[in-house]
Amino acid sequence: MLESKEISLEKAVLIGIVTKDQDEIKSKEYLDELEFLTYTAGGEVVKRFTQKMDMPNSRTFLGTGKIEEVERFIKDNDIGTAIFDDELSAAQERNISKILNCKVLDRTNLILDIFAQRAQTSYARTQVELAQCEYLLPRLRGMWTHLERQKGGIGMRGPGETEIETDRRIVRDKIALLKERIKIIDKQMSVQRGNRGAMVRVALVGYTNVGKSTLMNVISKSEVFAENKLFATLDTTVRKVVIQNLPFLLSDTVGFIRKLPTQLVESFKSTLDEVREADLLLHVVDISHPNFEQHIDSVHKILGEIKSADKPTIMVFNKIDAYKPEPLSEDDLETERTKMHYSLDEWKKTWMSKIGNNALFISALNKENLEDFKKRVYEEVRQIHITRFPYNHFLYPDYDENQA
Ligand SMILES: Nc1nc2c(ncn2[C@@H]2O[C@H](COP(=O)(O)OP(=O)(O)OP(=O)(O)O)[C@@H](O)[C@H]2O)c(=O)[nH]1
Ligand SMILES: [Mg+2]
């Protein structure tokens, strides 16, 4: 029987705020990304709500009037889920659930949920489960303090406390168990990595959905799962790639995202070992995305968190086929020309002057400029290789000589 996907989509509303640090444009960009996350998780966004405020309301996140507006909309339109762009405290989540009477999620929940859906191997599942437990633990504590404060100590404290204490103990035991399990797999994996010998290791890194897996497939002729959804890849894939006659190892790994929950970075540390132990990073960027520069910053931040910010890196600007600047006609003297209007050549100049030939512009999909890409990677890998094994550098001549 044919099943229509649309029917099973969960109806959701998105909620964000506009503040001094987060103007309307930024807030819209965040909500665009949240909408993509919702779609990836299997939901459909029916409406967005935003409110201007200095800081979120500590009880209900939005102000009273606004939350009532959301509540009416949810009731009238039979909405199942309300998704907030910012992390909610345990108390906020509880208060809002009571008012809205539907499932209440925040960005972290949503990302954790996508990771849970996508985790294929038992290793990935263990890491996601650990992140979920770590997310839950402080929230259990939150619930308990709330009960105690609201209902007073006597009478309430007994059963309430024991129950929550039991819950917390269960979660803590679970965390210990999962960590133990991860440690065992880590050991096996580090042995595997050790067995790979002395080959140079290159890792693809970058924001989610930029085309890392597509690029991996193109240059290693492997079949890594790639699709137009966020976090298509959770497990690391490592392939032996040979350019000319020079072999090296290339790994494709989980994509990064802004506000990646710290619990996830923590529990995916072992997956990210592949990045940490790499000799060379290929930082893939989707230049056709309007916020690609912010994506670069987010990736740098996370690389810093896993102590890999100083590695030799080639910036690979992908999807040049899809890059379209905002049009600006020459006789338009009113509109101020900004980066949005840059042509691809202007971007090239900007980045080339910043990082020289460590910036490459390609299309993995249309296989544009791949020859250049291979040449750069060859040169870089060769350099690392002959530094490590000076005696056999004659095996690997310059790329062009190699062609002949
Ligand atoms: N137009 C265009 N689309 C591309 C290009 N490269 C990849 N894509 C598309 O971008 C989407 C994401 O590609 P993936 O290779 O899955 O991206 P990824 O970086 O591995 O993503 P995650 O694993 O989710 O982090 C897919 O729909 C690809 O077809 C390109 O050069 N041009
Ligand atoms: Mg991928």
Side-chain angles (χ1 to χ4, degrees):
M1 214 172 81
L2 276 179
E3 239 181 273
S4 161
K5 274 229 167 97
E6 262 80 335
I7 294 172
S8 63
L9 285 184
E10 216 174 287
K11 286 210 268 177
V13 294
L14 304 186
I15 294 146
I17 50 172
V18 177
T19 62
K20 269 196 272 11
D21 309 322
Q22 183 172 307
D23 60 13
E24 263 161 73
I25 298 173
K26 257 219 180 106
S27 156
K28 181 184 171 296
E29 289 166 4
Y30 288 179
L31 289 182
D32 284 345
E33 190 171 83
L34 195 67
E35 179 158 350
F36 199 2
L37 281 166
T38 308
Y39 160 72
T40 302
E44 180 202 5
V45 174
V46 181
K47 195 178 163 74
R48 296 175 178 193
F49 292 90
T50 51
Q51 185 173 27
K52 262 193 200 150
M53 51 207 313
D54 288 338
M55 59 159 82
N57 182 305
S58 62
R59 286 195 60 256
T60 52
F61 193 78
L62 296 174
T64 320
K66 198 70 182 182
I67 199 96
E68 278 168 11
E69 189 189 325
V70 178
E71 190 258 325
R72 266 196 309 279
F73 184 87
I74 284 179
K75 219 202 243 138
D76 294 347
N77 295 280
D78 199 20
I79 304 291
T81 316
I83 305 172
F84 289 73
D85 192 43
D86 300 84
E87 197 161 304
L88 298 173
S89 70
Q92 282 172 329
E93 199 215 300
R94 211 176 28 255
N95 293 331
I96 298 167
S97 300
K98 245 186 246 155
I99 299 172
L100 299 184
N101 209 3
C102 71
K103 203 175 355 169
V104 173
L105 301 176
D106 60 20
R107 182 182 256 259
T108 309
N109 280 143
L110 197 56
I111 296 177
L112 283 173
D113 188 65
I114 295 170
F115 270 67
Q117 281 182 36
R118 301 231 146 194
Q120 299 277 335
T121 60
S122 80
Y123 187 49
R125 273 200 291 271
T126 313
Q127 293 180 104
V128 173
E129 215 177 319
L130 176 61
Q132 283 173 324
C133 288
E134 304 257 18
Y135 179 77
L136 190 66
L137 191 60
R139 283 173 172 73
L140 286 176
R141 189 184 305 141
M143 266 183 248
W144 170 63
T145 16
H146 161 83
L147 274 180
E148 189 193 39
R149 231 185 292 128
Q150 201 184 42
K151 309 257 171 148
I154 305 168
M156 255 329 278
R157 188 177 286 167
E161 185 177 20
T162 349
E163 210 172 283
I164 303 296
E165 269 308 312
T166 314
D167 282 355
R168 283 173 62 190
R169 202 167 42 237
I170 293 172
V171 176
R172 255 198 245 108
D173 288 351
K174 184 100 202 231
I175 289 178
L177 185 80
L178 291 168
K179 280 191 173 158
E180 206 49 48
R181 222 183 275 163
I182 287 178
K183 223 201 252 160
I184 295 170
I185 311 178
D186 273 353
K187 253 199 210 129
Q188 295 165 351
M189 288 178 63
S190 96
V191 171
Q192 274 175 19
R193 280 198 299 269
N195 287 345
R196 283 191 210 138
M199 263 192 266
V200 173
R201 282 150 66 171
V202 182
L204 290 159
V205 295
Y207 214 71
T208 176
N209 208 44
V210 296
K212 298 180 294 297
S213 300
T214 310
L215 187 56
M216 171 96 168
N217 288 337
V218 172
I219 61 166
S220 72
K221 302 188 185 72
S222 59
E223 272 307 316
V224 179
F225 181 61
E227 73 166 337
N228 191 22
K229 282 195 173 175
L230 304 176
F231 305 115
T233 311
L234 278 198
D235 287 296
T236 304
T237 319
V238 184
R239 292 273 182 279
K240 185 175 150 190
V241 177
V242 182
I243 298 184
Q244 305 298 334
N245 61 349
L246 175 63
F248 59 92
L249 293 173
L250 181 66
S251 67
D252 175 26
T253 192
V254 57
F256 300 159
I257 195 165
R258 174 198 301 134
K259 299 191 196 163
L260 190 68
T262 40
Q263 298 92 343
L264 267 180
V265 180
E266 270 298 311
S267 54
F268 270 77
K269 275 227 160 91
S270 343
T271 297
L272 296 171
D273 273 347
E274 209 63 58
V275 175
R276 210 176 337 202
E277 293 178 10
D279 304 297
L280 170 68
L281 302 183
L282 305 177
H283 180 167
V284 186
V285 179
D286 172 1
I287 197 170
S288 74
H289 196 288
N291 304 120
F292 78 88
E293 288 194 295
Q294 285 173 29
H295 292 177
I296 295 176
D297 292 342
S298 304
V299 171
H300 279 154
K301 200 166 147 249
I302 296 168
L303 285 176
E305 280 171 32
I306 58 168
K307 305 205 165 35
S308 300
D310 300 328
K311 282 189 190 293
T313 304
I314 301 178
M315 298 288 288
V316 183
F317 294 91
N318 188 31
K319 305 200 191 181
I320 53 171
D321 60 291
Y323 178 73
K324 280 186 198 66
E326 281 291 311
L328 181 67
S329 75
E330 274 187 20
D331 37 329
D332 181 349
L333 300 175
E334 313 236 304
T335 315
E336 195 192 336
R337 199 165 182 285
T338 65
K339 283 180 171 178
M340 286 190 325
H341 305 102
Y342 274 21
S343 68
L344 200 53
D345 275 334
E346 280 172 292
W347 275 123
K348 280 186 191 169
K349 272 192 209 127
T350 313
W351 281 95
M352 296 289 203
S353 68
K354 244 193 248 180
I355 49 177
N357 65 354
N358 281 331
L360 282 167
F361 293 79
I362 66 161
S363 162
L365 197 67
N366 295 352
K367 304 193 171 51
E368 261 177 273
N369 223 9
L370 282 188
E371 195 48 36
D372 227 23
F373 170 78
K374 283 188 189 164
K375 185 176 173 198
R376 267 307 286 136
V377 175
Y378 177 90
E379 279 164 358
E380 202 67 34
V381 172
R382 174 174 172 264
Q383 205 49 49
I384 296 168
H385 190 95
I386 61 182
T387 325
R388 201 168 294 169
F389 312 105
Y391 53 88
N392 70 0
H393 92 260
F394 60 88
L395 282 177
Y396 304 112
D398 285 340
Y399 191 81
D400 289 336
E401 289 171 34
N402 226 331
Q403 290 264 295

